[in-house]
Amino acid sequence: MTRAAVTASTVGCPKLEYFCLYKTYNLGSGTLRLCLPEAKKVWLHRCEDLNAVSVYGPKLEDLRLEACYGLRSVRLLRSFPGSARSAPPARSVVNVDLTNSFMPKKVIDAMREDPWMRLSGLPPKEESWSPGTDVSSSDEEEGNELKIMHFSETDDCCYKRQMPSLEEDIGVRLRHKCRGGRTVSADDMRRALSWGANVIYVWWVKVHADALKQAKDAGVDVVQFQKDDPPKQQ
């Protein structure tokens, strides 16, 4: 389904009160524009290649953008071409849920300044990616520790759960963090290095050149796994 087709469907159904897309792909790198003059709730879930969304919803109360990994822009429109203005005199604040959408910090900061947005679903600390991702299979034990950072398509990383069995073989504790998304940015790499990662695994997602340079300068190995290819080390 294309962005134009989704937009046309909302324009053609102006009385919708609830709009949901689940695992909708091919939305491309442009902006998805939604015209929903009567909608109170909009849910876009696992629209993983969605880059930007603009919503005209004068009655909107909840905008849920869950696991939209590529999302970089969210706007609430004051009008939409061809749509009669039906906004109430006092517009309510919209709750914008960004659970697992991993938007850049500067974008989130700008959204916090928007008086019509109330953000939710964010990590409790700016430097954390998601609760409970820092996992060691032997936290109560003392000794050497190897910190492994995983970058994958989703933060529910199965690979880290397959590695604790190696602890007895290598004789050290293993600690894991996992970050989901479509690319590894320089900011992602900076946070991984700040955490103290000793090695970084990248599972089938792209790594920005600046991120690779940061890891190289820090002396940390980056192992990239690509679909249908053997792993390569940078």
Side-chain angles (χ1 to χ4, degrees):
M1 182 176 290
T2 65
R3 294 192 312 276
V6 176
T7 299
S9 69
T10 63
V11 171
C13 301
K15 294 184 179 181
L16 285 175
E17 296 184 1
Y18 173 65
F19 181 79
C20 176
L21 292 179
Y22 178 65
K23 286 191 175 181
T24 303
Y25 301 100
N26 300 320
L27 296 176
S29 59
T31 299
L32 175 65
R33 295 167 59 85
L34 303 177
C35 179
L36 297 162
E38 297 295 323
K40 294 183 178 181
K41 295 184 179 181
V42 174
W43 184 13
L44 306 182
H45 188 192
R46 291 291 298 274
C47 297
E48 298 176 11
D49 63 351
L50 177 63
N51 183 259
V53 60
S54 296
V55 183
Y56 173 61
K59 298 183 180 181
L60 191 62
E61 298 175 358
D62 293 291
L63 175 58
R64 188 173 180 182
L65 304 168
E66 184 175 353
C68 297
Y69 302 131
L71 191 62
R72 294 296 179 267
S73 174
V74 179
R75 292 183 59 204
L76 299 177
L77 303 177
R78 303 297 183 256
S79 62
F80 197 94
S83 178
R85 296 191 178 186
S86 58
R91 179 175 182 173
S92 61
V93 176
V94 179
N95 179 60
V96 181
D97 187 342
L98 298 173
T99 300
N100 291 334
S101 283
F102 308 118
M103 296 186 70
K105 181 179 182 298
K106 63 180 181 180
V107 177
I108 292 176
D109 289 343
M111 293 173 66
R112 284 191 173 117
E113 296 299 319
D114 190 321
W116 300 114
M117 292 186 185
R118 181 191 302 112
L119 304 188
S120 65
L122 297 173
K125 297 181 180 179
E126 290 183 354
E127 288 299 306
S128 67
W129 287 307
S130 58
T133 55
D134 191 354
V135 178
S136 174
S137 62
S138 52
D139 274 342
E140 301 303 319
E141 299 176 9
E142 296 182 357
N144 295 327
E145 182 177 74
L146 178 65
K147 291 186 174 182
I148 303 173
M149 182 70 213
H150 304 267
F151 290 101
S152 65
E153 294 173 333
T154 171
D155 64 349
D156 183 20
C157 186
C158 64
Y159 317 109
K160 69 182 181 183
R161 296 194 293 269
Q162 299 172 357
M163 292 189 171
S165 60
L166 297 175
E167 287 190 356
E168 293 183 2
D169 295 333
I170 63 178
V172 299
R173 298 167 60 200
L174 297 181
R175 186 176 292 274
H176 304 265
K177 273 186 179 291
C178 190
R179 163 75 155 94
R182 298 180 64 83
T183 62
V184 181
S185 68
D187 187 54
D188 293 334
M189 187 64 72
R190 177 187 62 80
R191 285 193 256 181
L193 297 174
S194 177
W195 172 61
N198 303 111
V199 62
I200 294 169
Y201 290 123
V202 180
W203 303 91
W204 306 335
V205 295
K206 296 180 180 179
V207 187
H208 194 279
D210 290 343
L212 287 174
K213 184 177 185 303
Q214 283 189 4
K216 183 178 180 181
D217 291 345
V220 175
D221 288 333
V222 177
V223 182
Q224 297 185 68
F225 294 88
Q226 299 184 358
K227 292 180 179 179
D228 302 322
D229 289 328
K232 64 179 181 180
Q233 185 168 316
Q234 299 289 341

